[in-house]
Amino acid sequence: MTKKIPLHVKILLGMILGLSWGIAAVNLGSAWVGFSKDYIHPFGTIFMNLLKLIAIPMILTSLVTGIASLNDIGKLGRIGGKTIGIFIGTTVIAITIGLVLVNIVQPGKQISEETRDMLMQGNQEQMMAKTLAAESVKNRPALQPLVDLFPSNVINAAGDNGNMLQIVIFAVFLGIAITLIPNEKAEPLVKLMDSANEVVMKVVDLIMIIAPLGVFALLSAVIVDLAKDDPSQILGLLSALGVYSLTVLAALFLHLSLTYLGLVRFVARMNIWDFLKKMRPVQLLAFSTSSSNATLPVNMENCEDELGVDEEITGFVLPLGATINMDGTSCYQAIAAVFIAQVFNMDLTLLEQLTIIFTALLSSVGSAGVPGAGVVMLVIVLNSVNVPVEGIALILGVDRILDMCRTAVNVTGDAAVCCSVARMEGKLKSDIV
Ligand code: ASP
C-alpha cells in the first residue's frame, strides 16, 4: 500500500525548492530572475488569490451554521467576551515580553553611525510609502473603526477592499435571525448552509493540492525581491540587523512557548506536542504567505478536522483572530520601536514604554492580516512616543523575513485561543465523546 505524503512535508519541500530556486536565479543573472518573475511568481499569486477567495464563503457558512445551532443567544455574547478577553491578555503579554527583551539586549546600541546611514539610505522610497499609508489610518475620526465594522453593502464587504469583520457581523446577524424564526422556516436554509460548508471545506482541500507549487513560487519571489539588484545585500543586511532580528525571533519563540503552549496545556488541556504537530501545515503556510487572512481557511479546517474544535467556535474565533489578534506583530512592533529609539540615542522612559504597550495593542488590532501590514502600523507606535518615523527605513530590509515568522506566531495564537475557548465551552471533540 502506498503511504500518502503528509501535507506539511509537501509544503516544506515546496519551500526548500522555492528558496533554492530563488537563490539560483539571483546568482544566475537577470534572465533567470526575469523568467522567475514572469513564469513562476504568478503561481504564488494564484495560490494566495484562491485562499482569499474561499475565506469569505468559509466564514459565512461556518458561522451561520454554528450560530444557528446554538439554542441560546446569550452564549454567543459569552463566547465573544471570553475570546476578546484572551486575545487582549495574550497581546499584552507578547508586547511585555518584547519590551523586556529589547531593553535587556539593546540591539540598537550595536549599530554604528555609518551602518545607520547606510541602512537609512537604502529604503527611503519604501519608507515614504509606508508612512503615507499610515497617515490615512492616523487621521481617521476616533470611532471610525467601530463604524467600519458595519457594512452598508454585503457585496462590497466581501470585495477586495472589504473588511473580514464586516462579514463576521453579517453572518452573526443571519445566524441570530435564523434562531429567531420558526423551525420549519429556518430548516431549509440551515441545511443549505450546512452543505455549503461541507463543499467549501472540500474546496480548501482542492486548493491545497497546489500548495507545494504555491509556496515554491512565493518563496522564490521572496528571495528575488530581497536580493533586488545586489545579491550580496542580503548577507550585509542580516549581519547589520542580526542582533535586532534575533531579539525579535527570541521574543516570538518565548511568547509561543510560554503563553500559547501554556494556554494549550492548562486551559485547552491538550497535549502540546500533539497541538504543535497538527499545526505544522498551518504554520508553514503562514510563514510562506506572510498573511493571516490567506491562512485562515486552512487554519479553520485544521482546527475543526485535526484539533477537534466545533465549527461554531472556529467560525467565530478564527476570523476574529486573523483580523484583531496579532501577538507576533505587536511583539515585533514593540521591539522595533525601542530598537529605532536606541539607534537614534533616545532613551524611552517607563511611561513611554507603557504607551508602547497601549499603542502596539491598538495597532496590532488595526493591522490587516496581509504581508507587511505590521510595519505600516508601526508608524503609529513610533508617533506615540515621538521616535522619528524615518527610522523604519532601518528595519525594512529584514522586514519580510520577520513578517513570515510573526505571521506563523499570529496564526498559532489564533488556534491556541480557539482550542482554549472551545474547551471552556465544552466544544472540543474530546468533551463530547
Ligand atoms: N503579515 C502579518 C499577518 O498577516 C501582519 C504583519 O505583522 O505584518 O498576520
Side-chain angles (χ1 to χ4, degrees), residues 286 289-295 321-322 325-326 328-330 332-333 364 367-376 399 402-404 406-411 414:
T289 59
S290 280
S291 168
S292 299
N293 286 4
T295 314
N325 183 49
M326 300 202 178
T329 302
S330 54
Y332 138 85
Q333 285 170 335
S364 74
S367 304
V370 296
V375 76
V376 173
D399 199 65
L402 296 181
D403 193 2
M404 296 159 90
R406 59 188 193 242
T407 310
V409 171
N410 289 345
V411 299
D414 298 337

Side-chain angles (χ1 to χ4, degrees), residues 92-414:
V92 171
I93 298 175
I95 301 170
T96 311
I97 292 178
L99 282 179
V100 170
L101 265 195
V102 73
N103 279 296
I104 296 176
V105 180
Q106 309 232 338
K109 302 272 187 227
Q110 332 263 342
I111 303 271
S112 65
E113 270 186 29
E114 301 88 77
T115 317
R116 180 180 83 186
D117 296 342
M118 183 266 291
L119 289 170
M120 297 271 296
Q121 271 160 19
N123 294 309
Q124 284 304 309
E125 243 172 66
Q126 272 196 61
M127 183 273 292
M128 300 286 269
K130 307 272 177 203
T131 342
L132 220 65
E135 232 17 66
S136 59
V137 179
K138 226 174 55 198
N139 295 334
R140 287 185 309 191
L143 288 187
Q144 195 57 39
L146 181 69
V147 175
D148 287 345
L149 285 181
F150 299 91
S152 60
N153 180 319
V154 70
I155 309 284
N156 287 350
D160 265 352
N161 297 320
N163 172 340
M164 240 164 23
L165 284 188
Q166 295 184 337
I167 296 295
V168 172
I169 298 273
F170 178 63
V172 168
F173 270 120
L174 276 187
I176 292 178
I178 287 175
T179 60
L180 298 177
I181 61 172
N183 240 347
E184 68 279 6
K185 296 265 183 211
E187 213 179 75
L189 186 59
V190 174
K191 278 196 175 143
L192 179 74
M193 282 294 186
D194 202 26
S195 89
N197 190 233
E198 285 293 312
V199 174
V200 166
M201 294 286 216
K202 210 14 117 201
V203 175
V204 176
D205 289 341
L206 295 178
I207 296 172
M208 290 311 281
I209 295 176
I210 66 152
L213 175 65
V215 295
F216 170 80
L218 286 169
L219 284 197
S220 62
V222 167
I223 296 292
V224 166
D225 236 35
L226 272 180
K228 291 210 191 78
D229 20 44
D230 180 8
S232 60
Q233 224 184 35
I234 304 179
L235 290 180
L237 270 176
L238 283 180
S239 71
L241 293 170
V243 183
Y244 158 73
S245 307
L246 285 178
T247 311
V248 174
L249 294 180
L252 293 179
F253 177 76
L254 275 179
H255 186 57
L256 181 101
S257 30
L258 298 178
T259 318
Y260 293 155
L261 296 185
L263 270 182
V264 170
R265 179 73 196 89
F266 298 109
V267 182
R269 297 199 304 280
M270 291 167 112
N271 181 308
I272 52 174
W273 302 118
D274 197 43
F275 173 83
L276 286 175
K277 207 167 120 195
K278 290 177 172 159
M279 280 301 290
R280 280 181 304 201
V282 182
Q283 290 169 326
L284 290 175
L285 201 66
F287 183 83
S288 311
T289 59
S290 280
S291 168
S292 299
N293 286 4
T295 314
L296 176 66
V298 184
N299 205 2
M300 284 174 79
E301 189 179 53
N302 194 63
C303 275
E304 285 171 33
D305 294 352
E306 300 295 327
L307 296 168
V309 180
D310 203 279
E311 70 187 358
E312 96 193 34
I313 304 288
T314 55
F316 187 73
V317 178
L318 292 177
L320 203 65
T323 326
I324 68 167
N325 183 49
M326 300 202 178
D327 293 1
T329 302
S330 54
C331 176
Y332 138 85
Q333 285 170 335
I335 295 175
V338 178
F339 168 76
I340 294 171
Q342 288 170 351
V343 176
F344 285 105
N345 284 322
M346 295 171 67
D347 280 322
L348 296 178
T349 60
L350 187 65
L351 186 69
E352 283 170 323
Q353 307 237 5
L354 290 176
T355 311
I356 291 183
I357 298 192
F358 184 66
T359 42
L361 171 68
L362 288 186
S363 63
S364 74
V365 169
S367 304
V370 296
V375 76
V376 173
M377 299 303 275
L378 174 63
V379 173
I380 293 172
V381 181
L382 292 175
N383 268 322
S384 71
V385 284
N386 296 319
V387 174
V389 290
E390 295 74 35
I392 62 168
L394 289 168
I395 54 165
L396 283 174
V398 287
D399 199 65
R400 177 64 193 225
I401 301 175
L402 296 181
D403 193 2
M404 296 159 90
C405 302
R406 59 188 193 242
T407 310
V409 171
N410 289 345
V411 299
T412 310
D414 298 337

